[in-house]
Amino acid sequence: MIQTHVSPTLDGLFQRILARQPDALALIDPINRARITGQAPRRMTFAQADRAISALAAHFIEAGLPVNSVIGVQLPNTIEFMLTVLAAHRAGLIVALLPQLWRQAELTAALNRTSARAIVTSAKIDGVSHADLAMNAAAEAFSIRHVCGFGEDLPEGMASLDLALRNGSLTERPVVQDGRKAALISFDVTADGMRAVPRTHLNLIAGGLAVFLESRIPQGARLMSAFAPTSFAGITSSLLLWLLSGGTLALHHPYDGEVLERQINECACDTLVAPAAMALRLTDADMAARLPALRHVIGLWRMPEQVASSSQWTAEHARFTDVYLFGEVGLFAARRTADGTPVPIMPGPHGAPRDVPGTATAGETLLTPKGTLALRGPMVTVAAYAPPPPAADSLISQPAPPDYADTGYAVRLDRSSGAICITSPPSGIVSVGGYRFLSQDLQEWAKRLGQGALLTALPDRLCGFRLAGRAQDNARGREALTELGLNPLMAEAFRDRTIVG
């Protein structure tokens, strides 16, 4: 690929590692990949990954996708995900992350919102035909011009990326490697509905550095990522940590605890990235004997208000780092003290690592006049969360837009220490694992099921909330929501049980 380098990009980071150690092991598939996609797991060196990236980039170019066009990606946590993101950037494209649980309604909305020109998926993921979902969503997204996928038995009209990898085309075009250019779009849910949140390469690198430096991951680390890479946090804690460390990235498709432990040991991983509630469970037994190579554990908190009351990390041979996630607004990381307890989070600028004076600013936490937590810094795209501009004919002077993004999380300051205490998530928003809904949307969808139907969110310590539903005919309710193209979390809320919940 003909490239002009202006400032660091994700593909630029990859190219530096490639030049230094082309034959080093780069990527490792989940060991149970056959269950996930029906294909055997693979391993790739940096040189092999580079050839695959170039072949996929050539396919996108030959498909007629213009530079700076958006390509939607809905893939499992396998090697192909990382290759596709880097290939899109090598071809000068912008990646839109499409969560795996999204179905036709959400896919269509996201593709139309970003004017995506192409979509990449897998034939099947966990038994679900995502190829059919992509084809149906593409039919309703007028900007889509190309649909492609990995796997066997792709539907007619969908181009095979496995074939593109085998053919290994050398087609290329000049691309300016500029870290200031848009690289990725993720999707958030706020009180105003779905928001597309674009980020540059530099935004992504800043997010990755915040976690990388705070957790003290060594160069050449063997990383195990068990967190879905379909969000800003997911990308920074997998792809970016791998590129910044220059080591090996092993992938685990969430979540099977027994398989995960076996995979960590087989790959001799020294670093684990996982949902925090899952990671903390590793200390329930003799972790040092079960996972002897593990030295760093990075726990990602989708419900950051739970960090302060979380259990103590007791494994002495590995250090734990809490990563606070605030939707797609941003994140910050804090390595736990030597005794395994969370460190206080103070308002104001913070470096990475936090306990080393004079380090570069990783971000800033502040309280808004509404009593909510706001973030600003090199990873935060403030404009994506700015209030809508006033009408052009308005005669009322408007205040300048804020230079921070409001997360919506309610906070207060501890009277004795001055530390930030996160008390509750944004009102009106339901978070089920990594998926967020407007609570009012739940009721709107329930109305479609007829009189007496109920769809509600119940508090859950592990996932934040869980969905529960009731209808005159639960089986028919599940079918109806599935036919509407809704997230399966909503449909499965109407599973049969004796009581709601």
Side-chain angles (χ1 to χ4, degrees):
M1 193 67 58
I2 304 170
Q3 300 173 336
T4 302
H5 292 272
V6 177
S7 55
T9 64
L10 271 61
D11 189 40
L13 294 178
F14 176 85
Q15 296 279 2
R16 293 181 185 182
I17 306 169
L18 173 69
R20 189 170 66 249
Q21 50 185 41
D23 297 323
L25 185 60
L27 294 166
I28 303 175
D29 257 332
I31 57 176
N32 60 343
R33 174 176 172 150
R35 179 194 63 78
I36 302 161
T37 67
Q39 298 172 305
R42 295 190 296 173
R43 296 182 173 216
M44 282 188 175
T45 65
F46 281 94
Q48 291 169 332
D50 179 60
R51 289 192 291 271
I53 292 166
S54 291
L56 293 174
H59 175 87
F60 297 146
I61 296 168
E62 292 168 0
L65 299 177
V67 171
N68 295 326
S69 56
V70 175
I71 178 171
V73 175
Q74 188 181 50
L75 291 169
N77 197 23
T78 58
I79 282 178
E80 284 82 1
F81 194 109
M82 308 303 160
L83 297 177
T84 300
V85 170
L86 292 175
H89 292 157
R90 189 170 292 186
L93 308 176
I94 302 166
V95 174
L97 300 177
L98 306 174
Q100 185 187 322
L101 279 185
W102 276 13
R103 295 301 185 253
Q104 187 173 336
E106 293 152 311
L107 288 175
T108 302
L111 295 173
N112 282 324
R113 179 71 61 88
T114 58
S115 299
R117 299 292 292 268
I119 183 170
V120 178
T121 191
S122 182
K124 287 188 177 182
I125 306 175
D126 289 328
V128 176
S129 178
H130 280 258
D132 288 339
L133 289 173
M135 293 294 285
N136 292 333
E140 297 185 23
F142 300 114
S143 59
I144 294 291
R145 294 293 180 268
H146 186 60
V147 184
C148 48
F150 296 95
E152 306 298 328
D153 300 322
L154 297 174
E156 185 177 354
M158 178 173 282
S160 171
L161 293 178
D162 289 323
L163 182 61
L165 289 174
R166 288 194 294 270
N167 290 342
S169 173
L170 298 178
T171 300
E172 57 184 23
R173 64 184 173 198
V175 174
V176 177
Q177 289 285 318
D178 188 347
R180 299 165 296 182
K181 295 176 61 177
L184 183 138
I185 301 171
S186 58
F187 298 91
D188 205 353
V189 173
T190 69
D192 299 320
M194 178 189 288
R195 285 181 185 258
V197 184
R199 277 188 167 88
T200 66
H201 292 267
L202 293 179
N203 293 147
L204 296 173
I205 293 171
L209 282 171
V211 179
F212 177 75
L213 295 175
E214 178 66 20
S215 57
R216 274 86 156 178
I217 296 174
Q219 286 295 311
R222 284 214 165 201
L223 298 155
M224 170 62 67
S225 175
F227 196 89
T230 51
S231 64
F232 170 63
I235 282 288
T236 55
S237 61
S238 56
L239 180 64
L240 266 299
L241 291 187
W242 169 52
L243 295 177
L244 292 169
S245 71
T248 302
L249 176 62
L251 301 168
H252 175 81
H253 186 71
Y255 185 84
D256 185 319
E258 182 179 337
V259 171
L260 175 63
E261 290 200 19
R262 181 158 62 92
Q263 194 171 357
I264 291 172
N265 286 325
E266 289 184 4
C267 299
C269 292
D270 53 53
T271 303
L272 170 65
V273 179
M278 303 294 185
L280 286 171
R281 291 182 173 183
L282 293 175
T283 59
D284 289 348
D286 187 2
M287 180 180 166
R290 291 181 0 256
L291 301 169
L294 208 55
R295 293 293 179 269
H296 307 274
V297 178
I298 299 171
L300 278 64
W301 291 94
R302 295 189 180 104
M303 289 79 68
E305 67 275 14
Q306 295 182 358
V307 178
S309 61
S310 63
S311 59
Q312 183 180 4
W313 178 255
T314 58
E316 295 182 356
H317 76 295
R319 290 294 295 270
F320 192 93
T321 300
D322 295 301
V323 181
Y324 296 67
L325 310 182
F326 300 93
E328 295 302 300
V329 176
L331 55 82
F332 56 79
R335 196 178 192 219
R336 293 204 173 189
T337 60
D339 65 359
T341 57
V343 301
I345 302 298
M346 307 302 292
H350 58 89
R354 285 176 176 266
D355 58 357
V356 178
T359 56
T361 299
E364 183 177 357
T365 54
L366 60 154
L367 275 67
T368 72
K370 298 186 297 183
T372 55
L373 181 72
L375 301 178
R376 61 184 166 202
M379 76 179 76
V380 180
T381 53
V382 173
Y385 291 90
D393 57 353
S394 174
L395 299 179
I396 302 175
S397 61
Q398 299 291 330
D403 64 346
Y404 57 79
D406 189 348
T407 68
Y409 282 80
V411 294
R412 61 176 176 81
L413 294 181
D414 183 85
R415 291 184 179 180
S416 59
S417 66
I420 290 174
C421 300
I422 305 171
T423 57
S424 63
S427 60
I429 297 175
V430 176
S431 177
V432 182
Y435 301 91
R436 307 208 320 174
F437 310 91
L438 289 176
S439 54
Q440 65 188 35
D441 286 349
L442 299 182
Q443 301 311 314
E444 290 299 321
W445 291 116
K447 289 178 182 178
R448 300 204 177 194
L449 302 178
Q451 187 175 4
L454 172 68
L455 180 59
T456 189
L458 302 176
D460 183 270
R461 174 66 184 174
L462 190 60
C463 297
F465 288 92
R466 54 191 170 94
L467 299 182
R470 181 182 63 208
Q472 292 180 351
D473 185 342
N474 279 347
R476 179 58 194 139
R478 289 196 303 272
E479 293 174 4
L481 292 176
T482 301
E483 290 169 1
L484 288 169
L486 294 186
N487 190 302
L489 291 173
M490 291 189 181
E492 286 306 307
F494 290 89
R495 62 192 181 276
D496 291 326
R497 48 179 141 13
T498 56
I499 59 172
V500 174

